[in-house]
Amino acid sequence: QVIWITKSNQVFKRLNEEGYTCYKSSSIMGMVSCLRAKVVVISSGKSDVNRFMIIGAVIVQLWHGAPMKKIGPNDNLAINRLRDSSRILHGRIFWDFIPKYIFPFMDNYNISYVVSTAKVFNGILEHVFDLSHEQVIMSGYPRNDVFFNKDKDSGKNDYLGKYKYKKLYLYLPTFRSNKTLDQTLHDSGYDESKMNSLMKEVDGIFVIKGHFASGNSNSNLSRIVTIDGDEFFDINSFMMHADVLLTDY
């Protein structure tokens, strides 16, 4: 039996209407399902489900980005900020041993398997998640299957119908642990008035979709659109129809 666990009211309502088994993570059925699960599949972290109820399950991490930048234990900046925020306990004993063995629900990097997209990333993922070579599944991300779909139009979603302009420009910045999206735009010298004028010149629309953990940047200008808060928006399907892609994925 496959059960979808969510925190989203939007996802819960829609999946149940479509006949799927879906529970809220904090509901009785959600907690019982997590406790009984033999295999738990996540894509961000253990909080995708109910992290307190999955101890002992086989955890498969689909992951969500290629480790071209430092992540997890390799990200010294993030680790140092965590340690500085707690001046009571320091050192590897606290940061490695206790989360992994005493409170495993605290450790997002304590998993059974992780999905990889290329050999070049396998060693990095093995180190970050403390896994053996056999625990890294080089299958590619399921979310990327849409790129190999011969019927490209099948990936279109409702957003495309809203934009009648000739050119679609996408700005898709990845997560930055020390900056919000607004800060990233500001620091890069982004001027939305100039961008809006440019879009009018080229008959285009500039669409911004930030990382969910970085917040988003709202605009009231006619040629700049921010996509945020839609749990069913598929960025990969949308990306295939872009004329210009600005990203650091």
Side-chain angles (χ1 to χ4, degrees), residues 105-120:
F105 52 83
M106 293 173 55
D107 185 4
N108 276 318
Y109 295 90
N110 179 17
I111 60 172
S112 308
Y113 298 94
V114 66
V115 169
S116 177
T117 58
K119 289 182 179 180
V120 69

Side-chain angles (χ1 to χ4, degrees), residues 78-127:
I79 289 174
N80 288 336
R81 278 197 301 275
L82 284 171
R83 288 177 176 167
D84 289 342
S85 67
S86 176
R87 300 184 181 278
I88 300 174
L89 292 172
H90 290 254
R92 303 306 298 179
I93 293 178
F94 176 74
W95 290 101
D96 287 348
F97 181 82
I98 292 181
K100 186 171 184 177
Y101 297 105
I102 307 301
F103 303 114
F105 52 83
M106 293 173 55
D107 185 4
N108 276 318
Y109 295 90
N110 179 17
I111 60 172
S112 308
Y113 298 94
V114 66
V115 169
S116 177
T117 58
K119 289 182 179 180
V120 69
F121 298 134
N122 290 0
I124 299 174
L125 293 171
E126 289 172 25
H127 179 261

Side-chain angles (χ1 to χ4, degrees), residues 10 22 27 29 36 44 108 116 126 150 182 188 194 202 235 247 249:
Q10 181 185 8
C22 177
S27 69
M29 288 303 299
R36 296 182 60 194
S44 181
N108 276 318
S116 177
E126 289 172 25
K150 293 181 180 180
D182 279 331
S188 66
K194 290 182 178 179
V202 299
I235 188 61
T247 187
Y249 275 7

Side-chain angles (χ1 to χ4, degrees), residues 38-221:
K38 181 177 180 180
V39 178
V40 174
V41 181
I42 58 178
S43 64
S44 181
K46 293 178 181 178
S47 59
D48 288 350
V49 288
N50 189 314
R51 63 164 62 210
F52 302 104
M53 304 294 173
I54 58 173
I55 298 173
V58 173
I59 300 177
V60 180
Q61 172 60 276
L62 299 182
W63 207 229
H64 48 276
M68 293 180 286
K69 64 178 184 179
K70 291 184 177 182
I71 59 174
N74 289 345
D75 185 355
N76 293 326
L77 290 176
I79 289 174
N80 288 336
R81 278 197 301 275
L82 284 171
R83 288 177 176 167
D84 289 342
S85 67
S86 176
R87 300 184 181 278
I88 300 174
L89 292 172
H90 290 254
R92 303 306 298 179
I93 293 178
F94 176 74
W95 290 101
D96 287 348
F97 181 82
I98 292 181
K100 186 171 184 177
Y101 297 105
I102 307 301
F103 303 114
F105 52 83
M106 293 173 55
D107 185 4
N108 276 318
Y109 295 90
N110 179 17
I111 60 172
S112 308
Y113 298 94
V114 66
V115 169
S116 177
T117 58
K119 289 182 179 180
V120 69
F121 298 134
N122 290 0
I124 299 174
L125 293 171
E126 289 172 25
H127 179 261
V128 167
F129 289 99
D130 192 21
L131 299 175
S132 68
H133 181 72
E134 290 72 24
Q135 291 173 287
V136 178
I137 305 170
M138 201 176 70
S139 63
Y141 297 146
R143 68 185 64 197
N144 290 344
D145 288 352
V146 66
F147 295 129
F148 304 95
N149 187 345
K150 293 181 180 180
D151 182 9
K152 297 298 183 182
D153 287 340
S154 67
K156 287 187 177 181
N157 58 53
D158 295 338
Y159 280 90
L160 288 174
K162 298 179 181 180
Y163 308 133
K164 305 299 183 181
Y165 308 106
K166 290 182 178 179
K167 298 291 182 180
L168 174 61
Y169 296 78
L170 295 185
Y171 175 49
L172 307 175
T174 190
F175 175 66
R176 289 169 172 78
S177 58
N178 60 340
K179 287 184 180 182
T180 64
L181 178 57
D182 279 331
Q183 289 172 329
T184 299
L185 291 170
H186 177 270
D187 293 347
S188 66
Y190 171 71
D191 186 322
E192 68 171 11
S193 296
K194 290 182 178 179
M195 179 61 75
N196 197 64
S197 298
L198 177 61
M199 290 297 104
K200 290 180 179 179
E201 291 178 18
V202 299
D203 194 19
I205 187 78
F206 188 62
V207 179
I208 302 173
K209 174 69 171 70
H211 189 282
F212 71 89
S214 300
N216 228 320
S217 179
N218 296 318
S219 175
N220 296 319
L221 300 181

